[in-house]
Amino acid sequence: MAEFVDNLPDEAKLVADKAKIKSADQAILTPTAHLLLQESSPHDIYVLKSSAAKVVAKESIKVSDLLDLPYCMKWARLSFGCEALDKCTQGGIATRGITEICGVAGSGKTQLLLQLSLMSQLPLEFGGLGAGVAFICTEHAFPSKRLHELSKTFTQKYPSININYLAQVHVQQIHNSEQLLKCCAEHLPPLMASERIRLIIIDSVAAVFRTYSDFIQRARDMRKLANCLLNLGDRYNCAVICVNQVSYCSEQYIFL
């Protein structure tokens, strides 16, 4: 959509050129904070995003469009497989966004992620997404034995569904932020396109950012990661879950 940039006002076109924005969708999904780092003014950013919104907005939506499966799937939800958690989250983990799960060590975060990894593979009518999982580990080795044991319960619970649960969980071990950014930007897109993946899990996202001494650069890299994950969620209509571990908790504050 090169014509999108060509039709922009001059001030908005300058913002788009600095951020290498080529389409209206990209303009909307690019965080304002990222554009501000490109030394663009808030007014020019507003003009850019307003222009993009006019391009992608629909004046009206037909009922037939609402009932069409691809349209409905744009904002699907992945069930936890637990009625109480689904009720708390209005149906589960939403696609096309980033969900953060945090808690103290030993609170069951990884167990919950394994449960979601299996739930994601179930058909839509069972609360799943009918697709595989990209599971990125940054701290500990992937708990393959625990997943194997949990998959047995799913096989017993859903005997009519023939799924090789272990074959649809794609694991990547990451050791630093550079590897994580490269994985999300370069490795995940072709994997998601070829293997039909609709759930991305990063356990944990904060681990690779703790060693930074340059906090400005850390903030930039974290924004870059968030932007990349949002783009993946939008492009492949997938859910993204990032895990953080609480290291200290007081009555008023939580420190990660």
Side-chain angles (χ1 to χ4, degrees), residues 11 23 28 34 46 56 72 74 87 96 114 140 149 159 169 173 208 219-221 238:
E11 61 270 30
S23 67
I28 292 175
H34 175 74
Y46 172 79
V56 301
C72 297
K74 283 187 176 181
K87 185 176 181 180
R96 302 171 76 90
L114 296 179
H140 308 292
E149 291 299 321
V169 179
Q173 194 74 39
V208 295
R220 288 174 176 167
D221 286 348
C238 68

Side-chain angles (χ1 to χ4, degrees), residues 120-205:
S120 174
Q121 301 177 48
L122 295 177
L124 303 181
E125 57 267 28
F126 289 92
L129 298 174
V133 185
F135 202 117
I136 301 174
C137 301
T138 64
E139 289 191 280
H140 308 292
F142 180 78
S144 54
K145 291 184 179 180
R146 288 166 61 185
L147 181 66
H148 178 58
E149 291 299 321
L150 190 58
S151 68
K152 294 179 181 178
T153 65
F154 270 68
T155 302
Q156 296 173 357
K157 187 175 181 179
Y158 305 100
S160 61
I161 304 175
N162 184 20
I163 297 177
N164 184 350
Y165 292 101
L166 302 183
Q168 296 195 68
V169 179
H170 304 266
V171 180
Q172 179 72 50
Q173 194 74 39
I174 297 296
H175 302 288
N176 55 56
S177 59
E178 183 179 355
Q179 290 180 355
L180 180 58
L181 290 170
K182 184 175 182 179
C183 176
C184 293
E186 300 179 14
H187 299 166
L188 282 184
L191 177 65
M192 297 181 72
S194 62
E195 298 294 338
R196 182 169 167 72
I197 289 173
R198 294 197 59 207
L199 174 61
I200 300 173
I201 295 174
I202 303 179
D203 183 16
S204 71
V205 69

Side-chain angles (χ1 to χ4, degrees), residues 8 10 19 62 65 89 92 107 126 158 160 165 168 204 241:
L8 287 173
D10 291 340
K62 299 178 182 178
D65 292 334
T89 56
S107 60
F126 289 92
Y158 305 100
S160 61
Y165 292 101
Q168 296 195 68
S204 71
I241 301 176

Side-chain angles (χ1 to χ4, degrees), residues 138-139 202 204-211 222 243-245 256:
T138 64
E139 289 191 280
I202 303 179
S204 71
V205 69
V208 295
F209 291 103
R210 293 190 186 122
T211 58
M222 293 184 75
V243 176
N244 270 325
Q245 181 170 306
L256 301 179

